Amino acid sequence: MRMTSTIRSSLATALLILISNLAYAAQANGQVDDQGVLAMVLNTEIRMADVVPSEEERKNLKQQAKDNYAGMLDYVVRVNASNRIYELVLEDYAKQKGITVNQTLVSKFIEKFEGQVSSETATKPIKEIAAKQVLQFQTEKAMYEEFGGRVIFRQSNPQMPIDAYNTLLSRYRDAGELSIIDEDLRDAFWEVFTPPFQYEISPENVDFNQPWWL
């Protein structure tokens, strides 16, 4: 499926917003226990300290959220923790499948977004962002080819193979390799995979032949 120029533009913006906003994560007030273990993935602990921003970024969150600060803080904690779970599982699945990062796609990603990502707008170097985006695309393509199922559109991911994710993550959970300890995080994490989905892509429009930024 070819993305229209409008969608591509919105995705570029969404990418920058995602990079920036996810950095405005938890621990923002002194009452947060940054040593608490939220989840375990493949013997790796995901702690509150792993999903929190710098002091400066916490100040930005307070300025943006204002009266809704506590709610936004809680939401971003869950998003960051969930993304870390995805990342660890995808990395392991990619290793099992022998997937290596396509450097040509990395270069094309950098060409596309280098002018929009700077030290002021992102918390990670563009090369690191590009490599993770490419690996995600390649791994999701392999997941979809193996498991199939429904694919949804999200601002942060225009072709997310939601059913394939559910199948893969459930396998890790059932094998004891994924355990979400925090109850609120656990409920929010698995709720994502419960239909109906707001933006489900018709099967004939699903196309993993190339990533969305090309």
Side-chain angles (χ1 to χ4, degrees):
M1 177 184 61
R2 285 277 187 174
M3 293 293 150
T4 65
S5 58
T6 300
I7 291 178
R8 289 187 179 186
S9 177
S10 67
L11 290 173
T13 302
L15 173 66
L16 299 181
I17 293 174
L18 180 68
I19 293 166
S20 180
N21 284 354
L22 293 188
Y24 297 154
Q27 190 198 13
N29 58 45
Q31 298 177 350
V32 175
D33 177 11
D34 63 4
Q35 296 304 311
V37 178
L38 302 176
M40 288 281 295
V41 183
L42 298 162
N43 298 319
T44 297
E45 292 182 343
I46 299 177
R47 293 180 173 271
M48 186 68 74
D50 299 324
V51 293
V52 299
S54 66
E55 181 179 355
E56 181 179 354
E57 289 164 340
R58 296 198 300 269
K59 290 179 180 178
N60 289 334
L61 177 59
K62 288 183 179 182
Q63 293 175 356
Q64 290 185 358
K66 298 181 180 179
D67 293 341
N68 194 34
Y69 174 70
M72 285 297 298
L73 170 62
D74 184 58
Y75 171 75
V76 178
V77 169
R78 294 196 304 267
V79 169
N80 284 352
S82 295
N83 285 343
R84 181 60 178 149
I85 293 172
Y86 294 154
E87 182 179 277
L88 289 169
V89 170
L90 287 183
E91 286 177 354
D92 186 69
Y93 179 76
K95 187 180 298 183
Q96 292 180 29
K97 294 296 181 180
I99 299 171
T100 57
V101 176
N102 185 316
Q103 295 301 322
T104 299
L105 292 180
V106 170
S107 296
K108 290 184 179 298
F109 185 96
I110 293 173
E111 289 174 10
K112 181 84 172 183
F113 296 108
E114 190 169 22
Q116 302 177 52
V117 177
S118 67
S119 59
E120 288 77 29
T121 60
T123 59
K124 297 179 180 179
I126 183 64
K127 289 184 179 179
E128 183 178 344
I129 296 170
K132 286 190 175 183
Q133 285 289 317
V134 170
L135 182 62
Q136 178 180 321
F137 164 74
Q138 292 179 265
T139 308
E140 289 178 346
K141 178 180 180 180
M143 287 167 52
Y144 182 71
E145 290 173 349
E146 180 174 359
F147 304 120
R150 289 164 292 191
V151 177
I152 64 172
F153 173 88
R154 304 176 82 179
Q155 279 195 327
S156 59
N157 187 350
Q159 284 196 125
M160 180 179 185
I162 192 74
D163 285 340
Y165 263 102
N166 191 20
T167 298
L168 182 64
L169 291 163
S170 295
R171 288 186 179 185
Y172 276 76
R173 178 196 59 197
D174 296 343
E177 297 177 322
L178 165 58
S179 176
I180 303 178
I181 299 166
D182 182 86
E183 184 177 354
D184 290 338
L185 174 60
R186 182 169 61 248
D187 291 344
F189 183 88
W190 291 110
E191 185 179 2
V192 170
F193 304 102
T194 304
F197 304 112
Q198 188 173 9
Y199 300 114
E200 187 174 337
I201 301 173
S202 299
E204 64 271 18
N205 290 327
V206 174
D207 186 355
F208 281 95
N209 287 323
Q210 65 179 21
W212 56 264
W213 60 86
L214 295 181

